[in-house]
Amino acid sequence: MAVVYKYPLVVTDRQLVTMPKEAKILSVQVQNGAPYMWALVNPENGTEEVPIRIHGTGHNIPDADRLAYIGTFQMPRYGLVFHAFLEQSL
């Protein structure tokens, strides 16, 4: 069974999001002033900790080769734009 779940994100360098295994990240957007990530999941799968990275426009990303882009979101209240990445194992 597949459903779309929403996960809150924090604007921080790195965070772990608990999600069902084999989740497919669909989008990252701002809703009601806060960033969220949407994913297609099978809630019957066991869970895992998924490492998500957030980087601001113009910030240095020394290990960019380990990251898979998942979305960009704007925080108009602060006039900032952030980019979300899935951290991958080497």
Side-chain angles (χ1 to χ4, degrees), residues 11-13 53-61 71-73 75 79-85:
V11 179
T12 188
D13 290 344
R53 301 261 298 271
I54 306 290
H55 292 283
T57 299
H59 292 199
N60 186 31
I61 308 172
T72 294
F73 61 95
M75 300 294 289
L80 299 172
V81 178
F82 296 96
H83 312 280
F85 299 88

Side-chain angles (χ1 to χ4, degrees), residues 5-7 9 16-26 37-43 45-52 70 86:
Y5 278 4
K6 175 174 78 171
Y7 299 90
L9 295 177
L16 295 174
V17 178
T18 302
M19 304 173 70
K21 292 179 181 176
E22 301 177 13
K24 179 181 178 186
I25 297 170
L26 302 173
M37 176 175 67
W38 283 263
L40 184 64
V41 304
N42 180 342
N45 289 354
T47 61
E48 64 182 348
E49 298 289 312
V50 178
I52 302 295
I70 57 176
L86 175 63

